[in-house]
Amino acid sequence: MDRVSSFDEPLKKLLGGATAKVMAEHLDLHTVGDLLHHYPRRYEERGKLTALADLPLDEHVTVVAQVADARILMFNNGRGKRLEVTLTDGSGRLQLVFFGHGVHKPHKELLPGRQAMFAGKVSVFNRKMQLAHPTYQLLDASDADEATEAVDAFAGRLLPIYPACKQLDSWRIAKAVDAVLPSARDAVDPLPASLREGRGFTPLPEALLKVHRPQTKADVEDARARLKWDEAFVLQVALARRRYADTQLPAVARRPTPDGLLDAFDAKLPFTLTEGQQKVSKEIFDDLATEHPMHRLLQGEVGSGKTMVALRAMLAVVDAGGQAAMLAPTEVLAQQHHRSITEMMGELAEGGMLGGSDRGTKVVLLTGSMGMAARRQALLDLVTGEAGIVIGTHALIEDKVQFHDLGLVVVDEQHRFGVEQRDALRSKGKQPPHLLVMTATPIPRTVAMTVFGDLETSVLDQLPAGRSPIASHVVPAKDKPHFLSRAWERVREEVENGHQAYVVCPRIGDDAEEEKKGRAKKKGPEEDPDKRPPLAVLEIADELRRGALAGLVVEVLHGRMHPDEKDDVMRRFAAGDVHVLVATTVIEVGVNVPNATAMVIMDADRFGVSQLHQLRGRVGRGSAPGLCLLVSEAHEASPARARLSAVAATLDGFELSRIDLEQRREGDVLGQAQSGVRSSLRMLTVIDDEEVIAAAREEAVAVVAADPELEHLPELRTVLAALLDKDREEYLDKG
């Protein structure tokens, strides 16, 4: 086969249309370069078999094992045939099952003693692990051409096991890789020669050959070390260039005036700031005092006092003659921030008004659903500079909104804002304003260095005094239905003790489209016909009103309600008139009802670890202890149940975010949500490679400081351009 000249060659040319189509649709592989960067997940040694005992449920796996026995069973009065094959590997046994006409070929080939590779989805039947209708390839000598080929290809070598899909087995991917492997010689090496030699790295073409077709385990180690470095380094150079460009932007330094608004505010605080709040405030004030824009990420658990830190930064900017804007993802949250900030500031929030402080300023709210007159007044206060602080939703970004002198933008829950919005706000200042991004999702340091790599990071990890602990338990609804009945009794007890509760469901349940989608999905080949659609808010609320919680005031809250209706429900819940709120994840951020002490999360296995932790943070916000019950029908041995047990076992958000990452390390560790980095992280696992990422960041900073435009590193420029096509550029921005 001719050597392909470039990594950009479409796979269709080399592999034929059908295979290329499956690769594009199911594995997101389109070019020769994509396939060469689709690395084996692990390697099997011939003769040394997989640990069948450790297979994960519900996942598509490839195993190498030996046939222990095979038998044909009749059912349906002899009309149906089933072939059952037992595999063994010393660590455990695994059942294979074939039905109908599909039994003839495997019955002839899968004889006791035979060794083969098997691929399929692991399920449980009669308490035994099984693969139904797996595909397989024989590995010992037999008449089949394919088997001989397999033996020749893999004899005495490590067998690469690739991340595969139902439509394409690992060994077919291995064959496709063979077809494109000669192109590895064309790989453009992004590492500067001095760095490559200084760290003793294998050249890139050799690393690609070694990772796909290793002769020894040392080959695998060599290749992995090199490929991890490339990924970490290229990504860190992109981020270092972004940070460098930001330092070149001009900004107005904002230093608070002595005896000004900030000092007046601090003097009336009824408590002292935690050590963490003081340390983080200092980092922020140091940034605000420089002549280029601050770009800082402030992360801290729900209730760690982020709003207080942000407010003091805003007051410092107002003190220095500028204005500050706070962006919230929803109207409910914007109103809540406005309420709590004006309460904390008291007369200092009434600058220019009767009874207001002469050192005070005006704090205005600006949202899409405000009345015309109030909106006009707020816009006027902003353009004249009368209002030093504005709190609002995306409505703040509209063209009509003009500031007198915007000095600081605070963004709450960054992952809900795109880069376009960040830039639109930035353009409102005479010079780019300082930027503070807040998130309550705990982010391990390595992820902060990658996902949020263009921001400096501050962490608030102490909880202020007075927060109560939250007890969390898994409720196995399928195995132990009486546990669920007890859960509703507990909710009733909390209400009888004068408290309130949330019930969270994954779905709303009022939408014909939603139902249709659910049904269409259910018919798909991948879907388990027994798997019911996720539980819905409206159905559960009805059931509870009629059954377990009859006599209590049960209301619903979800995203498709009218804003006024939502506000009304939230107001009544906050006032204590509603006992139980059945909601979707709309309550995930910012709803603050200290009297709510219990939360029941239905179908908890359908939520991510970090999301469960976020939701749980809504209870235990007062002096009474919180209770969170995670209801699930997942099988005890499933990864989903393991996830829930982890959430129940710890309240440490950083620990949970590590677990979350470990769970999602399959494919792209940063999650497909940041689709922009589709093929940039294939080898690097953010969780295990902290040292690599930190070292790569240091090298990248040095390279960019010495040569910001990378004029002397054309190869690195080429690789960066491929990583940072339009989509991926956005990934870096959205964070």
Side-chain angles (χ1 to χ4, degrees):
M1 170 174 277
D2 290 344
R3 184 152 74 89
V4 185
S5 60
S6 159
F7 269 33
D8 298 329
E9 194 83 57
L11 286 171
K12 208 161 46 195
K13 275 192 173 174
L14 280 98
L15 306 178
T19 305
K21 189 170 184 250
V22 171
M23 286 196 165
E25 284 176 9
H26 297 278
L27 297 169
D28 204 10
L29 306 174
H30 307 270
T31 63
V32 167
D34 288 345
L35 182 52
L36 283 173
H37 289 302
H38 186 71
Y39 308 126
R41 175 190 295 158
R42 57 188 171 82
Y43 303 85
E44 292 290 2
E45 294 173 67
R46 281 184 55 69
K48 182 171 176 233
L49 307 180
T50 337
L52 294 181
D54 302 336
L55 289 181
L57 260 186
D58 289 337
E59 275 189 32
H60 199 278
V61 298
T62 302
V63 296
V64 176
Q66 199 158 20
V67 177
D69 68 73
R71 57 196 173 284
I72 285 202
L73 303 170
M74 299 298 203
F75 59 93
N76 220 350
N77 292 332
R79 289 199 297 278
K81 252 186 205 177
R82 181 168 84 234
L83 171 65
E84 284 186 3
V85 179
T86 306
L87 302 182
T88 177
D89 71 343
S91 81
R93 294 165 94 74
L94 177 67
Q95 189 107 30
L96 309 181
V97 51
F98 300 87
F99 294 101
H101 300 305
V103 306
H104 304 304
K105 189 168 181 259
H107 189 222
K108 283 207 306 253
E109 295 181 338
L110 298 178
L111 305 170
R114 272 279 167 86
Q115 200 182 353
M117 271 193 285
F118 301 89
K121 195 172 180 184
V122 184
S123 57
V124 168
F125 181 70
N126 275 345
R127 305 204 166 191
K128 284 186 188 154
M129 299 275 244
Q130 72 164 25
L131 299 183
H133 273 289
T135 50
Y136 63 90
Q137 187 178 21
L138 299 169
L139 290 179
D140 41 16
S142 99
D143 305 339
D145 291 347
E146 238 182 62
T148 318
E149 226 175 274
V151 173
D152 290 348
F154 299 123
R157 251 198 248 166
L158 296 168
L159 260 72
I161 306 292
Y162 287 92
C165 60
K166 187 178 176 183
Q167 296 76 4
L168 204 61
D169 307 316
S170 170
W171 52 89
R172 294 210 176 89
I173 295 171
K175 265 191 178 153
V177 169
D178 284 336
V180 301
L181 209 49
S183 304
R185 281 173 287 185
D186 294 335
V188 175
D189 197 323
L191 296 191
S194 58
L195 172 63
R196 199 169 57 234
E197 284 146 25
R199 289 185 174 264
F201 284 132
T202 306
L204 184 56
E206 194 184 317
L208 287 168
L209 288 168
K210 279 180 169 177
V211 80
H212 288 292
R213 297 295 172 261
Q215 301 287 337
T216 62
K217 286 182 178 170
D219 282 356
V220 176
E221 289 310 307
D222 267 8
R224 281 195 161 153
R226 168 66 218 253
L227 296 166
K228 275 180 182 181
W229 243 92
D230 281 20
E231 285 176 11
F233 180 72
V234 171
L235 187 56
Q236 290 303 333
V237 167
L239 293 164
R241 290 186 73 193
R242 167 95 17 121
R243 287 194 302 273
Y244 178 84
D246 285 340
T247 63
Q248 302 309 297
L249 292 171
V252 180
R254 311 277 179 176
R255 296 182 186 85
T257 40
D259 283 335
L261 181 56
L262 180 62
D263 285 349
F265 175 75
D266 282 349
K268 67 193 284 298
L269 274 183
F271 51 83
T272 51
L273 297 175
T274 64
E275 227 172 284
Q277 285 174 318
Q278 289 173 16
K279 178 175 113 333
V280 169
S281 290
K282 184 184 180 316
E283 292 169 349
I284 292 171
F285 288 160
D286 289 350
D287 282 358
L288 289 174
T290 59
E291 313 243 308
H292 63 81
M294 162 170 85
H295 284 111
R296 191 164 280 281
L297 171 71
L298 171 57
Q299 47 166 328
E301 290 279 9
V302 172
S304 59
K306 292 185 298 296
T307 312
M308 173 60 70
V309 169
L311 174 56
R312 292 184 71 247
M314 294 198 284
L315 296 175
V317 168
V318 175
D319 248 354
Q323 289 170 295
M326 183 182 225
L327 261 74
T330 63
E331 294 213 353
V332 172
L333 197 52
Q335 285 160 348
Q336 195 163 310
H337 276 315
H338 182 254
R339 243 195 329 270
S340 64
I341 282 173
T342 47
E343 276 167 19
M344 282 195 273
M345 286 176 65
E347 74 282 5
L348 295 175
E350 296 163 2
M353 295 187 234
L354 264 177
S357 160
D358 52 355
R359 285 187 288 188
T361 186
K362 232 182 186 185
V363 179
V364 299
L365 176 69
L366 190 63
T367 62
S369 66
M370 271 168 82
M372 215 42 223
R375 190 178 167 78
R376 202 173 293 125
Q377 184 59 52
L379 290 170
L380 187 65
D381 288 343
L382 284 178
V383 78
T384 59
E386 184 88 2
I389 294 177
V390 59
I391 294 153
T393 53
H394 300 70
L396 276 180
I397 301 166
E398 288 169 16
D399 291 345
K400 290 196 282 292
V401 182
Q402 296 298 317
F403 290 86
H404 176 64
D405 178 13
L406 179 62
L408 169 67
V409 176
V410 178
V411 179
D412 193 16
E413 289 304 332
Q414 155 72 2
H415 57 282
R416 292 155 198 263
F417 283 92
V419 63
E420 309 78 20
Q421 291 143 328
R422 215 154 88 176
D423 286 346
L425 248 184
R426 233 177 230 178
S427 63
K428 303 263 182 206
K430 293 182 179 132
Q431 288 190 325
H434 298 280
L435 176 71
L436 179 65
V437 167
M438 302 197 295
T439 176
T441 309
I443 303 159
R445 176 170 166 254
T446 40
V447 183
M449 284 194 288
T450 45
V451 186
F452 293 99
D454 60 334
L455 300 166
E456 300 299 328
T457 306
S458 294
V459 179
L460 274 176
D461 46 15
Q462 289 169 289
L463 283 189
R467 285 301 296 266
S468 305
I470 305 169
S472 307
H473 304 283
V474 179
V475 178
K478 208 170 192 169
D479 314 342
K480 300 180 177 164
H482 59 286
F483 275 39
L484 185 56
S485 318
R486 176 71 189 120
W488 299 127
E489 280 170 26
R490 283 292 289 114
V491 169
R492 197 177 267 284
E493 286 162 17
E494 289 298 312
V495 172
E496 281 163 4
N497 288 331
H499 298 302
Q500 292 157 279
Y502 298 101
V503 176
V504 183
C505 303
R507 202 165 60 95
I508 299 172
D510 68 339
D511 189 309
E513 277 306 295
E514 198 181 37
E515 294 296 335
K516 224 162 46 196
K517 259 193 251 162
R519 275 203 300 276
K521 194 173 169 207
K522 217 170 157 174
K523 281 196 203 128
E526 294 282 318
E527 273 298 312
D528 172 355
D530 302 332
K531 198 161 187 184
R532 58 165 174 73
L535 293 171
V537 165
L538 299 174
E539 292 154 20
I540 292 289
D542 272 355
E543 273 177 40
L544 291 175
R545 284 184 192 119
R546 286 201 309 268
L549 302 182
L552 302 186
V553 182
V554 177
E555 293 281 5
V556 300
L557 182 72
H558 58 74
R560 278 204 292 271
M561 286 162 66
H562 187 277
D564 294 348
E565 220 185 329
K566 271 196 270 198
D567 286 349
D568 177 54
V569 171
M570 266 324 297
R571 227 187 1 263
R572 288 189 298 121
F573 187 62
D577 302 336
V578 172
H579 298 135
V580 179
L581 190 61
V582 184
T584 54
T585 55
V586 288
I587 61 157
E588 184 182 353
V589 286
V591 176
N592 186 17
V593 181
N595 191 44
T597 52
M599 176 177 285
V600 181
I601 303 179
M602 308 302 291
D603 276 345
D605 47 281
R606 313 237 183 176
F607 298 96
V609 168
S610 294
Q611 199 174 24
L612 290 169
H613 180 60
Q614 249 343 43
L615 286 165
R616 169 171 66 181
R618 299 291 122 216
V619 295
R621 299 173 76 85
S623 50
L627 171 69
C628 178
L629 301 173
L630 306 166
V631 179
S632 166
E633 291 187 0
H635 187 278
E636 202 169 347
S638 66
R641 271 288 283 281
R643 258 202 336 262
L644 295 182
S645 303
V647 173
T650 178
L651 290 173
D652 179 341
F654 286 92
E655 178 53 32
L656 286 174
S657 61
R658 279 186 76 87
I659 291 166
D660 200 10
L661 274 176
E662 280 171 354
Q663 299 272 343
R664 291 183 307 157
R665 64 179 2 158
E666 194 40 50
D668 180 354
V669 58
L670 299 180
Q672 292 300 335
Q674 286 100 358
S675 62
V677 72
R678 173 176 64 76
S679 65
S680 70
L681 293 192
R682 294 292 175 92
M683 181 63 84
L684 206 61
T685 53
V686 167
I687 212 72
D688 296 332
D689 297 322
E690 184 164 335
E691 280 140 44
V692 175
I693 294 170
R697 180 172 170 130
E698 228 166 274
E699 295 276 11
V701 169
V703 164
V704 172
D707 181 4
E709 294 305 311
L710 307 179
E711 282 168 23
H712 306 297
L713 298 168
E715 293 83 4
L716 179 54
R717 260 210 330 269
T718 306
V719 173
L720 259 184
L723 167 70
L724 297 182
D725 55 27
K726 209 53 228 138
D727 284 353
R728 298 179 200 171
E729 187 91 49
E730 263 177 34
Y731 142 75
L732 287 176
D733 275 313
K734 285 206 173 94

